[in-house]
Amino acid sequence: MNPNDVILRSVTKVAIVIILTFSIYLFFGGHHNPGGGFIGGLSVAAGLVLLYLAFDIETVRKNIPVDFKKVAGLGVLLAVLTGMTSIFAGKPFLNQTFGYFNLPVFGKTELATAVLFDVGVALAVIGTAVTIILSISEDG
Amino acid sequence: MSLLPFMIFLPFIFAILTPFIYKMVTPRIHTGWFVVIVPLTVFLYLLQYIPVISNGNTISQSLPWVPSLNINLTTYLDGLALIFGLLISGVGALVVLYSIYYMSREREALHNFYVYMLLFMGAMLGLVFSDNILVLYVFWELTSISSFLLIAYWYQRKNSRYGALKSMLITIFGGLAMLSGLIMLSMMTDTYSIREILSKVHAVTEHSLFPPAMILLLLGAFTKSAQFPFSIWLPDAMEAPTPISAYLHSATMVKAGIYLVARFTPVFGGSSEWFWIVSGVGIITLIYGSINAVNQKDLKALLAYSTISQLGLIMSLLGLGSASMYFGHGDESTVYAFAVLAALFHLINHSTFKGSLFMVIGIIDHETGTRDIRKLGGLMSLMPISFTLTIIGSFSMAGLPPFNGYLSKEMFFTSVLTAAENPVFGMKTFGMIIPWVAWIASVFTFIYCMILVFKTFTGKHRPEKIDKVAHEAPIGMLIPPIILAVLVIVIFFFPNVVSKNILQPALMAVLPGLSLSEMDVTIKPWHGWNMELYMTIGVIIVGSIMYKFIKRWMFLYDVLPKSLSLNHLYNRLLEGSERASLKVTNRYMTGSIRDYLVYIFGFFILVLGSSLLFSKGFTMQYANNAEVSIYEGVLIIAMVISAFAVLLSKSRLTAIIALGSLGYLVSLFFIIFRAPDLALTQIVVETVTAALFLLCFYHLPELRKEVSRISFKMTNFIISLGVGVIVTLLAMSANNHRLFASISGFFEDSYTLAGAKNIVNAILVDFRGLDTMLEILVLSIAGLGVYTLIKLQLAGRGPKE
């Protein structure tokens, strides 16, 4: 562990908030603007990689105690399950629907099942990207 | 309700039961006692049809098998099928009886033996009773397979396996040829039934497929019946147990080809091709077999060559008789039909005397321990019954009175003499050769028959050369050959009983155009001082003289070098084809991925390029093209530069970076073509890929980390240029071949349809969500793959390190 990474770490601590926020923005904006599950997931993974670079793998793992292989699996499972729910509603597999609701804070908001599917995509992308990078770097 | 189909299946059913019977009765009772019931039942069952058939009736019955394809198990019993049926079941019963004494019940795997034998018997019965050509083919192949199993019965011997493989390769080759011939026949006549084919003969004779169908069918018949040059498998098949040689390779299976030729004579007969091929091959086989038989040292090999020769005789008679079809009705037709009658008569005679000869040879082998002529001799007083039987069989085979072979040999001479005067088929020019060839072959037949009798039984007995103390066989072993030998004599004295009841209905089946009254020939042993008799006397005189001085001219056999023998050619062909295919495979399967890529891309260029060229698909139109802006131009130049940098860079690091810049330039392209989602994804993915490439680069082994440019190879250059040009041309042509309007108009309503303003995202998660789902699955699998490749390699390497 290099003790001279003070600047990097300080910048990382600030930047990670911005990156993750931007990722979440990209993800949710995907429905109407450029973005979506894939790019959102990738930028989250990019943020995590920055954490790994600035700190140690062990340190990050202690603070984010997540097994990313499971995240990838969860993502695929979620995507499949959202597809399955439409079957129970008597519709074809992966039939998405949407509607407009009045929520307490946000006001009139559009809620779409496609977003749940996108969450699955994002989780699969995050899980896979981080798994690949972690396993390669641990090998070295 | 006829029981005929049941008779075909009886051996198969019994074959299933045989192993259980074997388990129960061994070693108290010989399994053969149970098996013998089967052929006996069939034989007795068929006997009752003789009066029915001889009155000109036929029996047929159909069981559905694949009715939707018109393939049914139709059994059909006419004179021809009856002859074969009686031979198969009759000789079958005698052979089983003989095998009871021949095959030891303690030492041999009798359940295998009898299962194979019953399989063969059923297949052979099915073959001759089938009216459906596809069913006939099924049974045909079943005889090949069961014969293969029987030849290799003593599978621990190398020669058995060699012989089995050889017969398998040759007969299956012929069987497949026959199948294609049969399919052609069914295409011409639109039916699978032999009888219906016969009723549509005109459709066949006028069809352009007539010659190929005929030749393919004959290939099947010739390979099965060991005709020249496919006869080489038969001498090697003598490695089978002797009952099998007696049954399969003299009396039944080798006559399947004869059956086929006889059965299809009404279809193909009457044409000069059929006449010349069948009789020509028959005559060549006849003389080839008889000359070679004289040279054999092994008694069974001698009999094998004599079988080949006799089968050639029958085949040539069938060929000569087919001339009758040419003349249709009338006297001339009857004259040639006589040859077919002679063929059928000799068919029966051959089965009787050859079966008994094989059994006697088996006895000699069994009681002395050898079949080598050079070791045997002087057995006359030791084995008197066997000696008598051999004399009867051999003299009949040589064509001497008072045995049935004399009658058919005389008929054979009559047929070749009449055929030589045949006014058609160009017999005027070549016809005179045929009687001479036939006569010479008969001389050689006479010589080997004498060798068979006198070298084995006369002379000095040399007990020190043989393994066992020679003595007469047990009576059970002698009964079957005695029955056959009695038949040989009985047929001589009462040939017309056989002729009236069996031969003439069979003749009607082979030559349906003939009426029975025209063909009322009485076979008689004495017909005056005519040419045939002089020929027979000549055979006896010349044959005796040649046998007397056999030592003087045997050296002639060594004149022809071994390398010209058919066996040698067969072995060379087999080895050569193996070597050649190995060479070819090694030549193009280099194991180098670069070579395979050259094949793939070369094929790509060839197929797509030629299809572009020949379908005239290449067009160029500029009307629909958009304006090229300055940004696009600049980007393209930059991309070309970085692409060349990848190709021409000296170090790999430069190539990786140039590749990365290419990727970023592509994302810029996405931006100017207004695809923000793609651009975003492309940037991130390109970054990750570049990082992974760098990782790979960093871990290259020190030893080989040379810094060099990609070496230039002309083939690679041409192929890559070709692929590039083809793809470009295809893309340009495709652009001008828009047949329908794009469906993208539908997706533009994505806000109302899916509640999303981002069309790309709506397509990804809503309209075409399935693709996305599977893509993330692909991604996860790739991730898991990387993880397992890295983490599990230690476990694999563990023990070695």
Side-chain angles (χ1 to χ4, degrees):
Chain A
M1 195 168 173
N2 197 334
N4 296 329
D5 281 347
V6 182
I7 296 174
L8 176 64
R9 288 189 187 171
S10 310
V11 172
T12 301
K13 280 173 188 168
V14 179
I16 191 72
V17 179
I18 300 170
I19 292 172
L20 291 181
T21 315
F22 180 62
S23 309
I24 291 165
Y25 167 75
L26 270 179
F27 173 76
F28 280 112
H31 211 47
H32 295 303
N33 296 306
F38 199 83
I39 189 67
L42 270 180
S43 47
V44 169
L48 289 173
V49 170
L50 181 64
L51 281 181
Y52 287 124
L53 283 176
F55 301 93
D56 197 46
I57 290 180
E58 288 308 315
T59 320
V60 180
R61 191 169 280 164
K62 216 174 283 168
N63 287 287
I64 313 172
V66 181
D67 184 352
F68 284 96
K69 294 188 291 297
K70 285 179 185 158
V71 171
L74 187 72
V76 175
L77 192 68
L78 196 64
V80 175
L81 281 181
T82 55
M84 294 290 281
T85 47
S86 62
I87 290 183
F88 294 117
K91 297 270 174 61
F93 182 60
L94 271 175
N95 192 31
Q96 312 287 13
T97 178
F98 64 98
Y100 297 91
F101 302 94
N102 270 317
L103 295 184
V105 183
F106 300 99
K108 188 189 171 201
T109 314
E110 182 198 353
L111 290 181
T113 53
V115 175
L116 281 177
F117 181 78
D118 234 7
V119 170
V121 174
L123 287 180
V125 169
I126 295 169
T128 306
V130 177
T131 305
I132 291 176
I133 289 164
L134 273 190
S135 34
I136 291 176
S137 55
E138 277 175 354
D139 185 47
Chain B
M1 177 77 189
S2 145
L3 278 174
L4 202 56
F6 178 71
M7 289 299 141
I8 297 175
F9 290 114
L10 184 67
F12 292 118
I13 296 165
F14 217 81
I16 297 172
L17 299 178
T18 302
F20 299 106
I21 295 174
Y22 175 76
K23 269 259 160 66
M24 274 193 298
V25 302
T26 307
R28 282 166 293 139
I29 312 169
H30 200 283
T31 320
W33 288 116
F34 297 90
V35 175
V36 80
I37 300 167
V38 177
L40 217 55
T41 315
V42 178
F43 186 72
L44 294 176
Y45 174 79
L46 287 175
L47 275 185
Q48 60 160 327
Y49 280 109
I50 290 179
V52 182
I53 300 292
S54 64
N55 285 337
N57 297 321
T58 55
I59 290 153
S60 112
Q61 194 178 350
S62 196
L63 292 180
W65 184 19
V66 195
S68 58
L69 294 177
N70 250 331
I71 300 173
N72 298 311
L73 248 161
T74 312
T75 49
Y76 178 65
L77 186 68
D78 60 359
L80 187 66
L82 186 67
I83 287 192
F84 278 90
L86 286 172
L87 279 180
I88 293 158
S89 52
V91 179
L94 294 176
V95 162
V96 174
L97 192 65
Y98 176 75
S99 70
I100 292 171
Y101 292 92
Y102 188 86
M103 307 293 282
S104 156
R105 69 166 178 253
E106 282 90 17
R107 289 196 308 273
E108 303 285 0
L110 285 178
H111 48 316
N112 291 349
F113 182 79
Y114 285 115
V115 166
Y116 301 159
M117 191 151 165
L118 285 168
L119 269 183
F120 172 79
M121 198 181 290
M124 205 62 210
L125 287 171
L127 171 63
V128 297
F129 292 144
S130 291
D131 181 54
N132 189 297
I133 51 176
L134 293 182
V135 177
L136 183 140
Y137 172 72
V138 169
F139 285 121
W140 183 277
E141 289 298 7
L142 209 51
T143 62
S144 294
I145 292 164
S146 50
S147 156
F148 168 78
L149 291 169
L150 283 167
I151 295 170
Y153 173 71
W154 287 309
Y155 53 82
Q156 50 291 56
R157 298 183 188 169
K158 190 166 176 262
N159 284 345
S160 299
R161 299 196 301 270
Y162 172 78
L165 186 66
K166 197 179 197 177
S167 75
M168 179 83 155
L169 283 176
I170 293 175
T171 53
I172 296 282
F173 158 74
L176 290 174
M178 187 188 85
L179 176 64
S180 30
L182 291 176
I183 290 170
M184 283 180 189
L185 263 183
S186 72
M187 280 162 64
M188 288 185 265
T189 55
D190 205 24
T191 173
Y192 291 128
S193 158
I194 293 174
R195 271 174 301 161
E196 283 177 38
I197 290 174
L198 293 192
S199 66
K200 294 178 183 172
V201 167
H202 288 293
V204 180
T205 44
E206 286 151 19
H207 205 281
S208 58
L209 280 177
F210 179 80
M214 185 184 81
I215 288 165
L216 289 169
L217 203 76
L218 282 179
L219 261 182
F222 289 166
T223 50
K224 198 77 162 181
S225 279
Q227 298 294 306
F228 187 86
F230 307 109
S231 49
I232 48 172
W233 67 266
L234 191 63
D236 283 305
M238 290 303 128
E239 294 298 330
T242 304
I244 297 311
S245 309
Y247 187 40
L248 271 68
H249 308 124
S250 70
T252 50
M253 185 176 96
V254 287
K255 294 196 172 124
I258 304 277
Y259 170 79
L260 196 75
V261 169
R263 186 51 96 197
F264 283 97
T265 294
V267 183
F268 297 106
S271 69
S272 63
E273 298 96 330
W274 177 269
F275 177 84
W276 275 110
I277 295 175
V278 176
S279 47
V281 169
I283 287 278
I284 293 170
T285 314
L286 166 66
I287 191 149
Y288 164 81
S290 61
I291 290 178
N292 267 304
V294 177
N295 193 26
Q296 299 307 314
K297 302 288 173 279
D298 182 346
L299 286 176
K300 268 178 103 176
L302 189 150
L303 284 185
Y305 276 106
S306 92
T307 303
I308 292 171
S309 156
Q310 303 279 317
L311 288 170
L313 189 154
I314 300 172
M315 193 65 92
S316 66
L317 279 173
L318 282 177
L320 296 176
S322 74
S324 163
M325 294 287 293
Y326 179 84
F327 294 104
H329 293 273
D331 289 343
E332 280 183 310
S333 160
T334 328
V335 170
Y336 299 108
F338 186 75
V340 176
L341 191 74
L344 296 168
F345 190 41
H346 195 68
L347 178 83
I348 298 178
N349 294 346
H350 178 249
S351 292
T352 54
F353 66 67
K354 192 51 71 64
S356 83
L357 278 177
F358 263 111
M359 289 178 189
V360 173
I361 299 305
I363 289 172
I364 294 170
D365 188 14
H366 207 258
E367 305 305 335
T368 63
T370 182
R371 300 192 307 247
D372 196 321
I373 291 180
R374 290 162 296 189
K375 294 182 185 170
L376 293 166
L379 294 175
M380 186 159 45
S381 53
L382 293 167
M383 306 171 79
I385 305 176
S386 307
F387 174 60
T388 318
L389 292 171
T390 313
I391 286 215
I392 294 171
S394 302
F395 284 13
S396 177
M397 183 154 70
L400 300 178
F403 307 109
N404 59 6
Y406 171 73
L407 300 175
S408 40
K409 185 64 69 86
E410 293 290 283
M411 288 165 80
F412 171 59
F413 283 150
T414 313
S415 305
V416 289
L417 287 171
T418 38
E421 287 154 15
N422 192 335
V424 288
F425 302 146
M427 285 297 275
K428 279 255 157 61
T429 29
F430 304 107
M432 271 327 288
I433 309 168
I434 291 182
W436 277 104
V437 176
W439 186 79
I440 295 169
S442 299
V443 171
F444 278 97
T445 306
F446 184 84
I447 296 171
Y448 70 69
C449 289
M450 294 308 115
I451 292 176
L452 186 59
V453 177
F454 294 111
K455 295 262 175 186
T456 319
F457 288 97
T458 60
K460 236 179 76 190
H461 183 49
R462 284 163 293 181
E464 74 282 356
K465 281 205 172 179
I466 53 179
D467 304 336
K468 296 180 182 174
V469 182
H471 57 84
E472 191 56 273
I475 186 68
M477 217 169 184
L478 285 168
I479 287 175
I482 287 173
I483 294 174
L484 285 172
V486 166
L487 270 177
V488 167
I489 299 172
V490 166
I491 291 175
F492 175 80
F493 287 108
F494 307 100
N496 293 311
V497 178
V498 179
S499 171
K500 274 271 174 327
N501 291 317
I502 301 176
L503 290 183
Q504 294 199 353
L507 184 65
M508 295 309 297
V510 180
L511 300 170
L514 221 61
S515 68
L516 256 182
S517 54
E518 290 173 26
M519 191 62 220
D520 203 14
V521 186
T522 23
I523 302 169
K524 48 181 186 287
W526 176 253
H527 30 65
W529 291 99
N530 55 7
M531 190 61 196
E532 290 89 313
L533 193 62
Y534 295 135
M535 280 170 88
T536 306
I537 294 169
V539 165
I540 296 171
I541 295 169
V542 176
S544 305
I545 294 170
M546 282 180 80
Y547 175 69
K548 186 91 182 149
F549 299 107
I550 191 161
K551 290 214 174 79
R552 300 272 177 85
W553 53 270
M554 274 302 273
F555 72 91
L556 283 173
Y557 280 104
D558 301 327
V559 172
L560 197 70
K562 276 275 179 287
S563 56
L564 275 177
S565 74
L566 288 173
N567 264 325
H568 184 78
L569 288 178
Y570 164 83
N571 289 335
R572 282 287 299 277
L573 188 73
L574 215 60
E575 279 168 29
S577 61
E578 274 170 18
R579 246 203 323 270
S581 56
L582 184 72
K583 219 173 185 173
V584 169
T585 311
N586 281 346
R587 175 58 63 87
Y588 79 95
M589 284 280 154
T590 53
S592 153
I593 292 177
R594 176 175 292 166
D595 288 340
Y596 302 154
L597 287 176
V598 168
Y599 306 150
I600 294 170
F601 285 126
F603 193 73
F604 181 91
I605 295 170
L606 210 70
V607 169
L608 292 183
S610 55
S611 70
L612 254 188
L613 201 68
F614 292 123
S615 65
K616 300 205 167 40
F618 178 64
T619 49
M620 284 259 268
Q621 284 174 358
Y622 302 102
N624 296 335
N625 288 2
E627 286 285 312
V628 179
S629 75
I630 179 90
Y631 303 112
E632 290 152 15
V634 170
L635 270 180
I636 282 182
I637 292 166
M639 280 171 77
V640 169
I641 291 171
S642 49
F644 272 103
V646 174
L647 276 182
L648 303 176
S649 65
K650 213 171 172 186
S651 107
R652 290 185 173 142
L653 202 58
T654 324
I656 291 169
I657 289 165
L659 199 65
S661 72
L662 199 58
Y664 286 127
L665 287 169
V666 169
S667 74
L668 282 181
F669 245 112
F670 288 145
I671 290 169
I672 47 174
F673 284 141
R674 295 185 296 283
D677 294 271
L678 290 186
L680 274 170
T681 316
Q682 172 69 19
I683 289 172
V684 180
V685 169
E686 189 56 47
T687 313
V688 173
T689 334
L692 289 177
F693 269 129
L694 288 172
L695 196 74
C696 293
F697 172 74
Y698 182 75
H699 285 290
L700 277 179
E702 282 295 333
L703 217 58
R704 297 285 306 278
K705 206 182 268 180
E706 72 235 29
V707 176
S708 67
R709 208 166 265 134
I710 301 173
S711 60
F712 180 79
K713 284 203 181 68
M714 201 59 199
T715 20
N716 291 0
F717 176 71
I718 291 170
I719 289 207
S720 50
L721 201 67
V723 170
V725 168
I726 291 282
V727 170
T728 312
L729 290 180
L730 273 179
M732 287 168 99
S733 325
N735 196 30
N736 296 318
H737 281 85
R738 290 237 170 103
L739 298 177
F740 308 103
S742 164
I743 59 161
S744 58
F746 171 76
F747 297 122
E748 278 164 19
D749 295 333
S750 66
Y751 188 67
T752 44
L753 289 167
K757 287 178 188 154
N758 183 349
I759 299 178
V760 176
N761 194 261
I763 292 173
L764 282 179
V765 300
D766 196 335
F767 298 121
R768 306 285 307 262
L770 193 66
D771 296 0
T772 313
M773 198 185 86
L774 294 177
E775 269 159 26
I776 60 171
L777 197 64
V778 168
L779 200 66
S780 311
I781 290 169
L784 288 179
V786 169
Y787 179 78
T788 44
L789 276 178
I790 288 170
K791 296 289 172 184
L792 296 185
Q793 63 173 2
L794 287 175
R797 270 189 213 154
K800 277 187 200 162
E801 282 175 351

